[in-house]
Amino acid sequence: MAIEVTFVGCGDAFGSGGRFNTCFHVANGETRFLIDCGATSMVALKALGLEPNAIGTILITHFHGDHFGGLPYFLLDARFVSKRSSPLTIVGPSGTGAALKQSMESAFHGSSGTNFNFSLEIIELVPGQARTVDGLDVTPQQVVHGPEGGPYLAYRIGVGGKVIAYTGDTEWTDALIEVGREADLLIAEAYYRDRQVRYHLDLATLERHLPAIQPRRIILTHLSGEMLERVDEVGYDIASDGLTISL
């Protein structure tokens, strides 16, 4: 059975190129999950006709708003609009539960005490420790996107006999080799073409390490405005909002 990956949003934090924040939708039969849920994700999901109540799991890489800020809207829609009844699992780094409560309060004061009419489980992962969650084989690795310890994660996800790897936001770290090694799909940040910026990955640096990673397919995401102006020089597939591919 084919696995479909839809780039619900693939932009940076600042809407460069008019792109929505990071959110990837993966479907394998009845299994549907998200990788990240940035602030614009509910708008983008509904624009694409993707049913939020069909999503069983949301994997979060880190707590920046363009990757995490859509969760309050997702949860409150589930409670008050979509009338969700099926269980939902939110998976993320250490501190996910506390960060979600804070985010709920920031978005809608008083909402962190909402009584959801469905089972909501929050799982906090330990970098380097694989875990099976809702039929997904998830291995997180610590990456470098801020002060030491983060927490900031990259993911290696086994689903339907395939491997999807995602760098998250990070400068180069050798942990990305294990994350992406021979993955069927590597979704990689490429914030700039060859300019190194602390805490972000540029394409030139990624290219130097590709012989060690050897992914079967690469799609670049989280491009800056400057990078979007140079897409003709890239030479790799580039994500766009609404793009769907099959594995």
Side-chain angles (χ1 to χ4, degrees), residues 37-160:
C37 187
T40 57
S41 294
M42 282 304 296
V43 176
L45 283 166
K46 291 190 174 184
L48 291 172
L50 294 171
E51 173 54 57
N53 284 352
I55 295 163
T57 310
I58 301 176
L59 305 176
I60 296 294
T61 59
H62 62 289
F63 306 143
H64 290 169
D66 58 321
H67 294 257
F68 182 76
L71 284 180
Y73 306 97
F74 190 100
L75 290 172
L76 293 174
D77 174 272
R79 171 65 179 87
F80 297 110
V81 180
S82 300
K83 308 295 184 182
R84 186 185 185 102
S85 59
S86 57
L88 177 66
T89 304
I90 297 175
V91 181
S94 174
T96 294
L100 178 59
K101 182 176 181 179
Q102 182 181 31
S103 180
M104 296 284 292
E105 286 301 313
S106 296
F108 293 94
H109 180 67
S111 67
S112 65
T114 299
N115 181 24
F116 295 108
N117 292 345
F118 53 90
S119 173
L120 175 62
E121 182 179 12
I122 297 173
I123 297 175
E124 299 184 358
L125 301 178
V126 176
Q129 294 187 14
R131 182 158 180 174
T132 299
V133 180
D134 297 341
L136 309 174
D137 296 322
V138 181
T139 304
Q141 296 290 351
Q142 182 72 41
V143 293
V144 185
H145 187 49
E148 185 176 355
Y152 310 99
L153 298 181
Y155 283 120
R156 183 179 179 90
I157 305 160
V159 54

Side-chain angles (χ1 to χ4, degrees), residues 5 7 24 26 33 35 59 61 137 139 141 153-159 162-168 175-189 213-221 247:
V5 180
F7 292 85
F24 313 138
V26 184
F33 65 96
I35 304 172
L59 305 176
T61 59
D137 296 322
T139 304
Q141 296 290 351
L153 298 181
Y155 283 120
R156 183 179 179 90
I157 305 160
V159 54
K162 302 286 188 178
V163 172
I164 298 171
Y166 174 44
T167 64
L176 295 178
I177 296 175
E178 290 307 312
V179 168
R181 191 187 301 275
E182 297 181 353
D184 294 283
L185 173 63
L186 172 61
I187 304 172
E189 180 188 25
I213 303 174
Q214 295 188 339
R216 292 178 175 83
R217 183 171 184 180
I218 300 172
I219 295 184
L220 305 180
T221 189
L247 300 178

